[in-house]
Amino acid sequence: MPRVLTTIGKILGVILIVLALAIGLIYFFVLQYPELDSNPTQDKWYRVSSPQMVCSDGSPYRALYKQGSAKRVLIYLAGGGVSINEETAAGDFYNKSEIGIDALANLTMNMGGIASDIEGSPFADWTVIAFPYATGDFHVGTGDFPYTDQDGQQRTLYHHGYTNFRTAMDLIRGRIDLGGTEAVVVTGYSAGGFGAALLAEDVFGSYFPDAASKTVLVDGALLTYDAWPDVAENVWAAPAKITERLATDNIVLDSLTALRGTWDDTVNILFTCSTRDGDLAKVQNYLDDGIMEVDEAQADEFQQMLGGEVPLLREHANVRAFIWDDLPWYDDPRDLTQHTIIPTAAAFLPLGEAQISVAQWLADAVEGDLYDVGIELIS
C-alpha cells in the first residue's frame, strides 16, 4: 500500500506541475499582452508601458495597442469615475488602479463595443489605441494631489492621466509608422468621454494633423459644475493649454467649442447620451448637493439639463447628437436609462424611431455624412 500511495502522489505531483505550467503559459502568452515593438502582428493586442506611467495609487499604468489593416486609427478612452476633492480622492468615486491582467482589462473596458472585433463592425480593421482609466482626472492630469484617507493617513493621489496619455502616444509614434493615416476617431465613454473632448486637440494637432477625416465622439459625458476650471487647474494640474479653454460650468462645451474654433469644419464633433442616464444623474446630484444617490427626481433634473445643454453644443460647436432612451439603467426598475453605449454591444443595436445604431452613425460621420438622431426626445 505505501508503494501505491507513493505512485499516486508522484502522478498527482506531475499533474499539478503540468497544470501550473499550462496556467503560466496561458497567463503570460494569452492573458498578458507582449510589449509593443516596431513590427506588431496585425490584429494582435500589445501593451505600451513606461516607468513614467502610473495609476493614481502609484502602481504601473499601461495603454493597449492593436494594429489594424486599414489606415484608420481609433483613440479609445475608458471611463471610471472622477476625483475632484479630498472626499472623492479618499473614497470609491473612481478607478484607482488598472486591472492587472491585460486581456481582462481590455474586456472590461470594451464588452463587445466599437473597439472590439465583433463581426460586422465598421471599425474591426482599424488600429486601436486604448487607454484604461485609473487616474481620476478625465485623462488630463499631471500633478500629485495630497489628501487624508479614510483612516486618517496622509496619502498622495497621482493625477497623471495626461502624462500617461502623452508618454504612451509618443512611445507608439516612436515605434510604429502611422504616417498616411486617413481617418482618426477620438472617443471615450463616461470619464473617457470627457477625456475625448479635452484631448482631441492634442490628438489631431500633435499626432494626426494630416488625416483627411477627423472625428471626436463624446459618449455619456455631461455634468455641469461651476468649479470645473478650478478642479482642472488645482486638483488635476492639467496643462495650461487645456485649462485655459475652460470658462463655464460645462467642461465638454468649453472644450468642443475651442476645438471647433481651431479646426473649423475639418473636424466632425459628435455627442451621444441617454435621456435619463442613471450614473450621470447620480454624479450630478453629488456635484449639486453633495449626495451620491439617484432617484427619478434627479433623473428628471438630468433630462431637463440635457435638454438645455445639447442645443448649446449644437449652437457653439456645431455638434451632431444621438439621444436615446431604449435601454434601462442596469436592472433597476425605476425610470432611468443606461449610462454610455460605445463600450457595449448595444452600440450596434438599431435604436429609436430612426432605427440607427450608434456605430453606424459614427461610421457615417467618418465618411462625412453628419446628422442628428433622437433630438426630439429632449426637445
Side-chain angles (χ1 to χ4, degrees), residues 194 219-224 250 271-285 287-288 294-310 323-324 335-340 377-378:
F194 290 96
D219 175 30
L222 187 67
L223 295 167
T224 57
N250 189 330
F271 173 85
T272 184
C273 190
S274 69
T275 55
R276 301 169 64 79
D277 185 315
D279 283 306
L280 287 180
K282 179 191 290 187
V283 177
Q284 188 66 59
N285 191 35
L287 297 178
D288 292 341
V294 65
D295 58 25
E296 291 185 344
Q298 272 95 48
D300 289 342
E301 294 175 7
F302 176 82
Q303 187 168 8
Q304 292 169 11
M305 185 263 285
L306 186 66
E309 296 296 327
V310 168
I323 307 300
W324 49 279
D335 186 17
L336 306 172
T337 52
Q338 180 175 303
H339 176 52
T340 77
L377 295 173
I378 54 170

mmCIF file of all heavy atoms in Angstrom, residues 194 219-224 250 271-285 287-288 294-310 323-324 335-340 377-378:
data_model
loop_
_atom_site.group_PDB
_atom_site.id
_atom_site.type_symbol
_atom_site.label_atom_id
_atom_site.label_comp_id
_atom_site.label_asym_id
_atom_site.label_seq_id
_atom_site.Cartn_x
_atom_site.Cartn_y
_atom_site.Cartn_z
ATOM 1 N N PHE A 194 -15.374 62.670 -21.370
ATOM 2 C CA PHE A 194 -14.813 63.975 -21.034
ATOM 3 C C PHE A 194 -13.384 64.067 -21.573
ATOM 4 O O PHE A 194 -12.978 65.090 -22.124
ATOM 5 C CB PHE A 194 -14.806 64.181 -19.522
ATOM 6 C CG PHE A 194 -16.160 64.366 -18.909
ATOM 7 C CD1 PHE A 194 -16.841 63.300 -18.358
ATOM 8 C CD2 PHE A 194 -16.757 65.614 -18.879
ATOM 9 C CE1 PHE A 194 -18.098 63.461 -17.775
ATOM 10 C CE2 PHE A 194 -18.017 65.803 -18.299
ATOM 11 C CZ PHE A 194 -18.687 64.717 -17.754
ATOM 12 N N ASP A 219 -19.180 60.201 -25.430
ATOM 13 C CA ASP A 219 -20.263 59.292 -25.050
ATOM 14 C C ASP A 219 -20.530 59.351 -23.548
ATOM 15 O O ASP A 219 -19.642 59.082 -22.745
ATOM 16 C CB ASP A 219 -19.899 57.864 -25.454
ATOM 17 C CG ASP A 219 -20.929 56.850 -24.976
ATOM 18 O OD1 ASP A 219 -22.124 57.196 -24.865
ATOM 19 O OD2 ASP A 219 -20.545 55.689 -24.712
ATOM 20 N N GLY A 220 -21.764 59.699 -23.170
ATOM 21 C CA GLY A 220 -22.164 59.658 -21.768
ATOM 22 C C GLY A 220 -21.321 60.543 -20.884
ATOM 23 O O GLY A 220 -20.900 60.123 -19.797
ATOM 24 N N ALA A 221 -21.059 61.775 -21.318
ATOM 25 C CA ALA A 221 -20.203 62.681 -20.546
ATOM 26 C C ALA A 221 -20.789 64.078 -20.581
ATOM 27 O O ALA A 221 -20.524 64.853 -21.501
ATOM 28 C CB ALA A 221 -18.785 62.672 -21.107
ATOM 29 N N LEU A 222 -21.615 64.401 -19.588
ATOM 30 C CA LEU A 222 -22.177 65.738 -19.478
ATOM 31 C C LEU A 222 -22.540 65.992 -18.023
ATOM 32 O O LEU A 222 -23.463 65.387 -17.482
ATOM 33 C CB LEU A 222 -23.420 65.880 -20.361
ATOM 34 C CG LEU A 222 -23.982 67.304 -20.447
ATOM 35 C CD1 LEU A 222 -23.019 68.221 -21.185
ATOM 36 C CD2 LEU A 222 -25.343 67.325 -21.131
ATOM 37 N N LEU A 223 -21.769 66.864 -17.387
ATOM 38 C CA LEU A 223 -22.010 67.251 -15.993
ATOM 39 C C LEU A 223 -21.717 68.739 -15.869
ATOM 40 O O LEU A 223 -20.655 69.205 -16.297
ATOM 41 C CB LEU A 223 -21.095 66.478 -15.042
ATOM 42 C CG LEU A 223 -21.301 64.966 -14.956
ATOM 43 C CD1 LEU A 223 -20.125 64.317 -14.235
ATOM 44 C CD2 LEU A 223 -22.613 64.642 -14.229
ATOM 45 N N THR A 224 -22.629 69.499 -15.297
ATOM 46 C CA THR A 224 -22.389 70.926 -15.091
ATOM 47 C C THR A 224 -21.892 71.146 -13.660
ATOM 48 O O THR A 224 -22.433 70.597 -12.706
ATOM 49 C CB THR A 224 -23.665 71.746 -15.336
ATOM 50 O OG1 THR A 224 -24.716 71.277 -14.484
ATOM 51 C CG2 THR A 224 -24.108 71.624 -16.786
ATOM 52 N N ASN A 250 -19.661 73.932 -17.942
ATOM 53 C CA ASN A 250 -19.759 72.777 -18.834
ATOM 54 C C ASN A 250 -18.409 72.541 -19.493
ATOM 55 O O ASN A 250 -18.056 73.179 -20.496
ATOM 56 C CB ASN A 250 -20.846 73.006 -19.887
ATOM 57 C CG ASN A 250 -21.145 71.752 -20.701
ATOM 58 O OD1 ASN A 250 -20.278 70.915 -20.906
ATOM 59 N ND2 ASN A 250 -22.375 71.631 -21.173
ATOM 60 N N PHE A 271 -21.839 63.803 -30.179
ATOM 61 C CA PHE A 271 -22.168 63.630 -28.764
ATOM 62 C C PHE A 271 -23.330 62.652 -28.651
ATOM 63 O O PHE A 271 -24.322 62.773 -29.382
ATOM 64 C CB PHE A 271 -22.557 64.976 -28.140
ATOM 65 C CG PHE A 271 -23.080 64.882 -26.734
ATOM 66 C CD1 PHE A 271 -22.203 64.853 -25.660
ATOM 67 C CD2 PHE A 271 -24.445 64.809 -26.480
ATOM 68 C CE1 PHE A 271 -22.680 64.767 -24.359
ATOM 69 C CE2 PHE A 271 -24.933 64.720 -25.184
ATOM 70 C CZ PHE A 271 -24.040 64.695 -24.118
ATOM 71 N N THR A 272 -23.208 61.684 -27.745
ATOM 72 C CA THR A 272 -24.316 60.765 -27.520
ATOM 73 C C THR A 272 -24.549 60.574 -26.028
ATOM 74 O O THR A 272 -23.604 60.558 -25.230
ATOM 75 C CB THR A 272 -24.071 59.405 -28.200
ATOM 76 O OG1 THR A 272 -25.220 58.577 -28.016
ATOM 77 C CG2 THR A 272 -22.855 58.699 -27.632
ATOM 78 N N CYS A 273 -25.830 60.459 -25.679
ATOM 79 C CA CYS A 273 -26.198 60.276 -24.271
ATOM 80 C C CYS A 273 -27.620 59.737 -24.207
ATOM 81 O O CYS A 273 -28.435 60.018 -25.094
ATOM 82 C CB CYS A 273 -26.124 61.611 -23.534
ATOM 83 S SG CYS A 273 -26.279 61.497 -21.722
ATOM 84 N N SER A 274 -27.910 58.965 -23.176
ATOM 85 C CA SER A 274 -29.293 58.542 -22.962
ATOM 86 C C SER A 274 -30.033 59.634 -22.187
ATOM 87 O O SER A 274 -29.423 60.451 -21.498
ATOM 88 C CB SER A 274 -29.343 57.213 -22.206
ATOM 89 O OG SER A 274 -28.905 57.347 -20.872
ATOM 90 N N THR A 275 -31.346 59.637 -22.306
ATOM 91 C CA THR A 275 -32.150 60.743 -21.795
ATOM 92 C C THR A 275 -32.104 60.881 -20.279
ATOM 93 O O THR A 275 -32.129 61.986 -19.744
ATOM 94 C CB THR A 275 -33.616 60.572 -22.218
ATOM 95 O OG1 THR A 275 -34.083 59.285 -21.776
ATOM 96 C CG2 THR A 275 -33.763 60.689 -23.723
ATOM 97 N N ARG A 276 -32.049 59.743 -19.560
ATOM 98 C CA ARG A 276 -32.154 59.760 -18.093
ATOM 99 C C ARG A 276 -31.026 58.913 -17.498
ATOM 100 O O ARG A 276 -31.249 58.026 -16.683
ATOM 101 C CB ARG A 276 -33.532 59.256 -17.667
ATOM 102 C CG ARG A 276 -34.673 60.093 -18.235
ATOM 103 C CD ARG A 276 -36.036 59.441 -18.020
ATOM 104 N NE ARG A 276 -36.374 59.323 -16.607
ATOM 105 C CZ ARG A 276 -36.844 60.327 -15.866
ATOM 106 N NH1 ARG A 276 -37.008 61.536 -16.398
ATOM 107 N NH2 ARG A 276 -37.156 60.139 -14.601
ATOM 108 N N ASP A 277 -29.822 59.210 -17.942
ATOM 109 C CA ASP A 277 -28.620 58.466 -17.574
ATOM 110 C C ASP A 277 -28.494 58.362 -16.046
ATOM 111 O O ASP A 277 -28.253 59.359 -15.357
ATOM 112 C CB ASP A 277 -27.402 59.172 -18.169
ATOM 113 C CG ASP A 277 -26.101 58.432 -17.971
ATOM 114 O OD1 ASP A 277 -25.850 57.942 -16.849
ATOM 115 O OD2 ASP A 277 -25.320 58.347 -18.935
ATOM 116 N N GLY A 278 -28.637 57.133 -15.518
ATOM 117 C CA GLY A 278 -28.645 56.941 -14.076
ATOM 118 C C GLY A 278 -27.355 57.325 -13.395
ATOM 119 O O GLY A 278 -27.368 57.922 -12.299
ATOM 120 N N ASP A 279 -26.219 57.009 -14.002
ATOM 121 C CA ASP A 279 -24.934 57.331 -13.384
ATOM 122 C C ASP A 279 -24.643 58.823 -13.437
ATOM 123 O O ASP A 279 -24.164 59.412 -12.461
ATOM 124 C CB ASP A 279 -23.813 56.546 -14.059
ATOM 125 C CG ASP A 279 -23.786 55.100 -13.620
ATOM 126 O OD1 ASP A 279 -23.727 54.848 -12.403
ATOM 127 O OD2 ASP A 279 -23.846 54.208 -14.479
ATOM 128 N N LEU A 280 -24.894 59.448 -14.587
ATOM 129 C CA LEU A 280 -24.660 60.888 -14.673
ATOM 130 C C LEU A 280 -25.597 61.651 -13.745
ATOM 131 O O LEU A 280 -25.188 62.632 -13.109
ATOM 132 C CB LEU A 280 -24.834 61.369 -16.113
ATOM 133 C CG LEU A 280 -23.727 60.976 -17.091
ATOM 134 C CD1 LEU A 280 -24.035 61.537 -18.482
ATOM 135 C CD2 LEU A 280 -22.356 61.442 -16.625
ATOM 136 N N ALA A 281 -26.855 61.208 -13.641
ATOM 137 C CA ALA A 281 -27.791 61.866 -12.720
ATOM 138 C C ALA A 281 -27.305 61.745 -11.273
ATOM 139 O O ALA A 281 -27.443 62.679 -10.475
ATOM 140 C CB ALA A 281 -29.181 61.255 -12.873
ATOM 141 N N LYS A 282 -26.722 60.597 -10.942
ATOM 142 C CA LYS A 282 -26.194 60.393 -9.582
ATOM 143 C C LYS A 282 -25.023 61.330 -9.297
ATOM 144 O O LYS A 282 -24.978 61.986 -8.245
ATOM 145 C CB LYS A 282 -25.745 58.938 -9.406
ATOM 146 C CG LYS A 282 -25.174 58.641 -8.035
ATOM 147 C CD LYS A 282 -24.495 57.284 -7.982
ATOM 148 C CE LYS A 282 -25.502 56.156 -8.064
ATOM 149 N NZ LYS A 282 -24.861 54.829 -7.841
ATOM 150 N N VAL A 283 -24.084 61.412 -10.237
ATOM 151 C CA VAL A 283 -22.923 62.274 -10.023
ATOM 152 C C VAL A 283 -23.334 63.743 -10.039
ATOM 153 O O VAL A 283 -22.814 64.559 -9.262
ATOM 154 C CB VAL A 283 -21.836 61.997 -11.077
ATOM 155 C CG1 VAL A 283 -20.656 62.949 -10.895
ATOM 156 C CG2 VAL A 283 -21.355 60.555 -10.978
ATOM 157 N N GLN A 284 -24.285 64.098 -10.907
ATOM 158 C CA GLN A 284 -24.765 65.482 -10.925
ATOM 159 C C GLN A 284 -25.383 65.852 -9.584
ATOM 160 O O GLN A 284 -25.210 66.977 -9.085
ATOM 161 C CB GLN A 284 -25.785 65.673 -12.047
ATOM 162 C CG GLN A 284 -26.197 67.127 -12.258
ATOM 163 C CD GLN A 284 -25.055 67.995 -12.755
ATOM 164 O OE1 GLN A 284 -24.479 67.750 -13.803
ATOM 165 N NE2 GLN A 284 -24.711 69.031 -11.996
ATOM 166 N N ASN A 285 -26.076 64.908 -8.962
ATOM 167 C CA ASN A 285 -26.651 65.147 -7.636
ATOM 168 C C ASN A 285 -25.549 65.393 -6.609
ATOM 169 O O ASN A 285 -25.692 66.245 -5.712
ATOM 170 C CB ASN A 285 -27.509 63.952 -7.222
ATOM 171 C CG ASN A 285 -28.354 64.228 -6.001
ATOM 172 O OD1 ASN A 285 -28.839 65.342 -5.810
ATOM 173 N ND2 ASN A 285 -28.531 63.216 -5.154
ATOM 174 N N LEU A 287 -22.527 66.663 -7.324
ATOM 175 C CA LEU A 287 -21.957 67.975 -7.615
ATOM 176 C C LEU A 287 -22.862 69.098 -7.132
ATOM 177 O O LEU A 287 -22.385 70.144 -6.676
ATOM 178 C CB LEU A 287 -21.724 68.113 -9.125
ATOM 179 C CG LEU A 287 -20.725 67.139 -9.754
ATOM 180 C CD1 LEU A 287 -20.641 67.369 -11.258
ATOM 181 C CD2 LEU A 287 -19.340 67.274 -9.125
ATOM 182 N N ASP A 288 -24.174 68.886 -7.216
ATOM 183 C CA ASP A 288 -25.125 69.921 -6.803
ATOM 184 C C ASP A 288 -25.334 69.959 -5.290
ATOM 185 O O ASP A 288 -25.366 71.032 -4.680
ATOM 186 C CB ASP A 288 -26.476 69.688 -7.483
ATOM 187 C CG ASP A 288 -26.436 69.913 -8.985
ATOM 188 O OD1 ASP A 288 -25.500 70.584 -9.458
ATOM 189 O OD2 ASP A 288 -27.334 69.399 -9.684
ATOM 190 N N VAL A 294 -29.253 58.541 -6.443
ATOM 191 C CA VAL A 294 -30.097 58.936 -7.560
ATOM 192 C C VAL A 294 -31.499 58.382 -7.376
ATOM 193 O O VAL A 294 -31.684 57.285 -6.844
ATOM 194 C CB VAL A 294 -29.497 58.439 -8.898
ATOM 195 C CG1 VAL A 294 -29.480 56.922 -8.976
ATOM 196 C CG2 VAL A 294 -30.241 59.021 -10.094
ATOM 197 N N ASP A 295 -32.472 59.172 -7.774
ATOM 198 C CA ASP A 295 -33.847 58.703 -7.848
ATOM 199 C C ASP A 295 -34.468 59.306 -9.108
ATOM 200 O O ASP A 295 -33.782 59.983 -9.892
ATOM 201 C CB ASP A 295 -34.643 59.052 -6.581
ATOM 202 C CG ASP A 295 -34.683 60.552 -6.295
ATOM 203 O OD1 ASP A 295 -34.541 61.358 -7.258
ATOM 204 O OD2 ASP A 295 -34.852 60.925 -5.132
ATOM 205 N N GLU A 296 -35.748 59.076 -9.297
ATOM 206 C CA GLU A 296 -36.376 59.547 -10.528
ATOM 207 C C GLU A 296 -36.456 61.071 -10.594
ATOM 208 O O GLU A 296 -36.457 61.645 -11.678
ATOM 209 C CB GLU A 296 -37.757 58.908 -10.678
ATOM 210 C CG GLU A 296 -37.679 57.409 -10.967
ATOM 211 C CD GLU A 296 -39.030 56.784 -11.227
ATOM 212 O OE1 GLU A 296 -40.041 57.422 -10.892
ATOM 213 O OE2 GLU A 296 -39.063 55.670 -11.775
ATOM 214 N N ALA A 297 -36.486 61.721 -9.442
ATOM 215 C CA ALA A 297 -36.485 63.181 -9.433
ATOM 216 C C ALA A 297 -35.165 63.722 -9.988
ATOM 217 O O ALA A 297 -35.150 64.689 -10.767
ATOM 218 C CB ALA A 297 -36.718 63.712 -8.019
ATOM 219 N N GLN A 298 -34.042 63.092 -9.572
ATOM 220 C CA GLN A 298 -32.750 63.503 -10.127
ATOM 221 C C GLN A 298 -32.662 63.190 -11.627
ATOM 222 O O GLN A 298 -32.055 63.947 -12.394
ATOM 223 C CB GLN A 298 -31.603 62.811 -9.392
ATOM 224 C CG GLN A 298 -31.127 63.548 -8.164
ATOM 225 C CD GLN A 298 -31.801 63.027 -6.904
ATOM 226 O OE1 GLN A 298 -31.868 61.827 -6.664
ATOM 227 N NE2 GLN A 298 -32.303 63.931 -6.078
ATOM 228 N N ALA A 299 -33.266 62.094 -12.045
ATOM 229 C CA ALA A 299 -33.285 61.764 -13.472
ATOM 230 C C ALA A 299 -34.082 62.803 -14.247
ATOM 231 O O ALA A 299 -33.712 63.183 -15.367
ATOM 232 C CB ALA A 299 -33.868 60.367 -13.684
ATOM 233 N N ASP A 300 -35.184 63.277 -13.663
ATOM 234 C CA ASP A 300 -35.959 64.351 -14.291
ATOM 235 C C ASP A 300 -35.085 65.591 -14.482
ATOM 236 O O ASP A 300 -35.085 66.214 -15.554
ATOM 237 C CB ASP A 300 -37.158 64.727 -13.416
ATOM 238 C CG ASP A 300 -38.245 63.662 -13.392
ATOM 239 O OD1 ASP A 300 -38.246 62.796 -14.293
ATOM 240 O OD2 ASP A 300 -39.086 63.681 -12.471
ATOM 241 N N GLU A 301 -34.344 65.940 -13.431
ATOM 242 C CA GLU A 301 -33.483 67.114 -13.498
ATOM 243 C C GLU A 301 -32.385 66.943 -14.539
ATOM 244 O O GLU A 301 -32.051 67.883 -15.271
ATOM 245 C CB GLU A 301 -32.879 67.398 -12.127
ATOM 246 C CG GLU A 301 -33.901 67.821 -11.075
ATOM 247 C CD GLU A 301 -33.289 67.984 -9.695
ATOM 248 O OE1 GLU A 301 -32.042 67.892 -9.584
ATOM 249 O OE2 GLU A 301 -34.042 68.202 -8.731
ATOM 250 N N PHE A 302 -31.823 65.729 -14.598
ATOM 251 C CA PHE A 302 -30.777 65.494 -15.591
ATOM 252 C C PHE A 302 -31.335 65.628 -17.004
ATOM 253 O O PHE A 302 -30.703 66.223 -17.881
ATOM 254 C CB PHE A 302 -30.147 64.108 -15.403
ATOM 255 C CG PHE A 302 -29.132 63.787 -16.471
ATOM 256 C CD1 PHE A 302 -27.839 64.273 -16.367
ATOM 257 C CD2 PHE A 302 -29.471 63.044 -17.591
ATOM 258 C CE1 PHE A 302 -26.903 64.027 -17.360
ATOM 259 C CE2 PHE A 302 -28.545 62.787 -18.586
ATOM 260 C CZ PHE A 302 -27.255 63.283 -18.466
ATOM 261 N N GLN A 303 -32.529 65.061 -17.238
ATOM 262 C CA GLN A 303 -33.121 65.135 -18.566
ATOM 263 C C GLN A 303 -33.378 66.587 -18.966
ATOM 264 O O GLN A 303 -33.148 66.970 -20.122
ATOM 265 C CB GLN A 303 -34.422 64.336 -18.617
ATOM 266 C CG GLN A 303 -35.007 64.222 -20.020
ATOM 267 C CD GLN A 303 -36.124 63.197 -20.106
ATOM 268 O OE1 GLN A 303 -36.568 62.663 -19.094
ATOM 269 N NE2 GLN A 303 -36.569 62.911 -21.306
ATOM 270 N N GLN A 304 -33.822 67.412 -18.019
ATOM 271 C CA GLN A 304 -34.034 68.830 -18.298
ATOM 272 C C GLN A 304 -32.703 69.526 -18.601
ATOM 273 O O GLN A 304 -32.617 70.360 -19.511
ATOM 274 C CB GLN A 304 -34.725 69.490 -17.114
ATOM 275 C CG GLN A 304 -36.158 69.017 -16.901
ATOM 276 C CD GLN A 304 -36.743 69.481 -15.579
ATOM 277 O OE1 GLN A 304 -36.171 70.330 -14.896
ATOM 278 N NE2 GLN A 304 -37.872 68.919 -15.193
ATOM 279 N N MET A 305 -31.666 69.178 -17.827
ATOM 280 C CA MET A 305 -30.350 69.759 -18.066
ATOM 281 C C MET A 305 -29.827 69.364 -19.439
ATOM 282 O O MET A 305 -29.301 70.196 -20.192
ATOM 283 C CB MET A 305 -29.375 69.315 -16.970
ATOM 284 C CG MET A 305 -27.999 69.965 -17.060
ATOM 285 S SD MET A 305 -26.786 68.928 -17.912
ATOM 286 C CE MET A 305 -26.455 67.715 -16.640
ATOM 287 N N LEU A 306 -29.997 68.096 -19.789
ATOM 288 C CA LEU A 306 -29.572 67.617 -21.097
ATOM 289 C C LEU A 306 -30.280 68.388 -22.204
ATOM 290 O O LEU A 306 -29.661 68.775 -23.203
ATOM 291 C CB LEU A 306 -29.874 66.116 -21.209
ATOM 292 C CG LEU A 306 -29.392 65.373 -22.452
ATOM 293 C CD1 LEU A 306 -27.871 65.323 -22.496
ATOM 294 C CD2 LEU A 306 -29.964 63.952 -22.480
ATOM 295 N N GLY A 307 -31.589 68.614 -21.999
ATOM 296 C CA GLY A 307 -32.360 69.353 -22.986
ATOM 297 C C GLY A 307 -31.901 70.783 -23.157
ATOM 298 O O GLY A 307 -32.100 71.385 -24.220
ATOM 299 N N GLY A 308 -31.277 71.349 -22.134
ATOM 300 C CA GLY A 308 -30.754 72.701 -22.241
ATOM 301 C C GLY A 308 -29.344 72.771 -22.786
ATOM 302 O O GLY A 308 -28.972 73.736 -23.472
ATOM 303 N N GLU A 309 -28.516 71.740 -22.484
ATOM 304 C CA GLU A 309 -27.104 71.780 -22.867
ATOM 305 C C GLU A 309 -26.853 71.315 -24.298
ATOM 306 O O GLU A 309 -25.951 71.823 -24.968
ATOM 307 C CB GLU A 309 -26.273 70.937 -21.900
ATOM 308 C CG GLU A 309 -26.264 71.448 -20.463
ATOM 309 C CD GLU A 309 -25.625 72.818 -20.316
ATOM 310 O OE1 GLU A 309 -24.688 73.128 -21.073
ATOM 311 O OE2 GLU A 309 -26.084 73.575 -19.444
ATOM 312 N N VAL A 310 -27.625 70.355 -24.782
ATOM 313 C CA VAL A 310 -27.410 69.873 -26.153
ATOM 314 C C VAL A 310 -27.593 70.989 -27.181
ATOM 315 O O VAL A 310 -26.775 71.108 -28.116
ATOM 316 C CB VAL A 310 -28.308 68.656 -26.452
ATOM 317 C CG1 VAL A 310 -28.303 68.336 -27.959
ATOM 318 C CG2 VAL A 310 -27.827 67.443 -25.669
ATOM 319 N N ILE A 323 -29.373 61.026 -29.262
ATOM 320 C CA ILE A 323 -30.007 60.891 -27.957
ATOM 321 C C ILE A 323 -30.899 59.653 -27.986
ATOM 322 O O ILE A 323 -31.666 59.455 -28.934
ATOM 323 C CB ILE A 323 -30.839 62.143 -27.613
ATOM 324 C CG1 ILE A 323 -29.977 63.413 -27.761
ATOM 325 C CG2 ILE A 323 -31.405 62.036 -26.203
ATOM 326 C CD1 ILE A 323 -28.748 63.460 -26.878
ATOM 327 N N TRP A 324 -30.812 58.838 -26.936
ATOM 328 C CA TRP A 324 -31.540 57.564 -26.949
ATOM 329 C C TRP A 324 -32.086 57.257 -25.558
ATOM 330 O O TRP A 324 -31.596 57.761 -24.553
ATOM 331 C CB TRP A 324 -30.629 56.431 -27.432
ATOM 332 C CG TRP A 324 -29.294 56.378 -26.750
ATOM 333 C CD1 TRP A 324 -28.199 57.139 -27.030
ATOM 334 C CD2 TRP A 324 -28.927 55.540 -25.660
ATOM 335 N NE1 TRP A 324 -27.166 56.823 -26.173
ATOM 336 C CE2 TRP A 324 -27.579 55.846 -25.322
ATOM 337 C CE3 TRP A 324 -29.594 54.556 -24.929
ATOM 338 C CZ2 TRP A 324 -26.898 55.202 -24.298
ATOM 339 C CZ3 TRP A 324 -28.923 53.912 -23.901
ATOM 340 C CH2 TRP A 324 -27.581 54.237 -23.604
ATOM 341 N N ASP A 335 -37.395 54.571 -13.638
ATOM 342 C CA ASP A 335 -37.328 55.176 -14.967
ATOM 343 C C ASP A 335 -35.986 55.888 -15.150
ATOM 344 O O ASP A 335 -35.901 57.116 -15.163
ATOM 345 C CB ASP A 335 -38.494 56.142 -15.146
ATOM 346 C CG ASP A 335 -38.567 56.702 -16.566
ATOM 347 O OD1 ASP A 335 -37.928 56.110 -17.456
ATOM 348 O OD2 ASP A 335 -39.252 57.722 -16.760
ATOM 349 N N LEU A 336 -34.935 55.079 -15.277
ATOM 350 C CA LEU A 336 -33.579 55.571 -15.518
ATOM 351 C C LEU A 336 -33.028 54.853 -16.744
ATOM 352 O O LEU A 336 -33.435 53.727 -17.047
ATOM 353 C CB LEU A 336 -32.673 55.303 -14.310
ATOM 354 C CG LEU A 336 -33.160 55.831 -12.951
ATOM 355 C CD1 LEU A 336 -32.253 55.318 -11.840
ATOM 356 C CD2 LEU A 336 -33.196 57.344 -12.947
ATOM 357 N N THR A 337 -32.102 55.469 -17.437
ATOM 358 C CA THR A 337 -31.573 54.863 -18.661
ATOM 359 C C THR A 337 -30.082 54.565 -18.550
ATOM 360 O O THR A 337 -29.381 55.121 -17.703
ATOM 361 C CB THR A 337 -31.840 55.769 -19.875
ATOM 362 O OG1 THR A 337 -31.362 57.102 -19.592
ATOM 363 C CG2 THR A 337 -33.313 55.820 -20.206
ATOM 364 N N GLN A 338 -29.628 53.706 -19.439
ATOM 365 C CA GLN A 338 -28.257 53.174 -19.414
ATOM 366 C C GLN A 338 -27.217 54.288 -19.520
ATOM 367 O O GLN A 338 -27.403 55.260 -20.241
ATOM 368 C CB GLN A 338 -28.075 52.185 -20.563
ATOM 369 C CG GLN A 338 -26.684 51.562 -20.652
ATOM 370 C CD GLN A 338 -26.607 50.502 -21.727
ATOM 371 O OE1 GLN A 338 -27.362 49.547 -21.712
ATOM 372 N NE2 GLN A 338 -25.692 50.677 -22.680
ATOM 373 N N HIS A 339 -26.128 54.086 -18.824
ATOM 374 C CA HIS A 339 -25.000 55.023 -18.855
ATOM 375 C C HIS A 339 -23.981 54.547 -19.873
ATOM 376 O O HIS A 339 -23.377 53.477 -19.712
ATOM 377 C CB HIS A 339 -24.353 55.104 -17.461
ATOM 378 C CG HIS A 339 -23.128 55.955 -17.413
ATOM 379 N ND1 HIS A 339 -23.091 57.244 -17.880
ATOM 380 C CD2 HIS A 339 -21.871 55.686 -16.947
ATOM 381 C CE1 HIS A 339 -21.891 57.740 -17.704
ATOM 382 N NE2 HIS A 339 -21.119 56.818 -17.145
ATOM 383 N N THR A 340 -23.760 55.337 -20.910
ATOM 384 C CA THR A 340 -22.818 55.091 -22.011
ATOM 385 C C THR A 340 -23.274 53.929 -22.890
ATOM 386 O O THR A 340 -24.033 53.059 -22.459
ATOM 387 C CB THR A 340 -21.371 54.838 -21.544
ATOM 388 O OG1 THR A 340 -21.231 53.511 -21.034
ATOM 389 C CG2 THR A 340 -20.944 55.850 -20.510
ATOM 390 N N LEU A 377 -36.355 63.625 -28.361
ATOM 391 C CA LEU A 377 -36.510 63.085 -27.012
ATOM 392 C C LEU A 377 -36.239 64.124 -25.926
ATOM 393 O O LEU A 377 -36.645 63.949 -24.772
ATOM 394 C CB LEU A 377 -35.587 61.870 -26.816
ATOM 395 C CG LEU A 377 -35.890 60.650 -27.685
ATOM 396 C CD1 LEU A 377 -34.806 59.606 -27.523
ATOM 397 C CD2 LEU A 377 -37.254 60.077 -27.331
ATOM 398 N N ILE A 378 -35.522 65.184 -26.279
ATOM 399 C CA ILE A 378 -35.219 66.225 -25.285
ATOM 400 C C ILE A 378 -35.691 67.588 -25.737
ATOM 401 O O ILE A 378 -35.376 68.597 -25.114
ATOM 402 C CB ILE A 378 -33.710 66.277 -24.973
ATOM 403 C CG1 ILE A 378 -32.872 66.439 -26.245
ATOM 404 C CG2 ILE A 378 -33.280 65.061 -24.205
ATOM 405 C CD1 ILE A 378 -31.415 66.729 -25.987
#
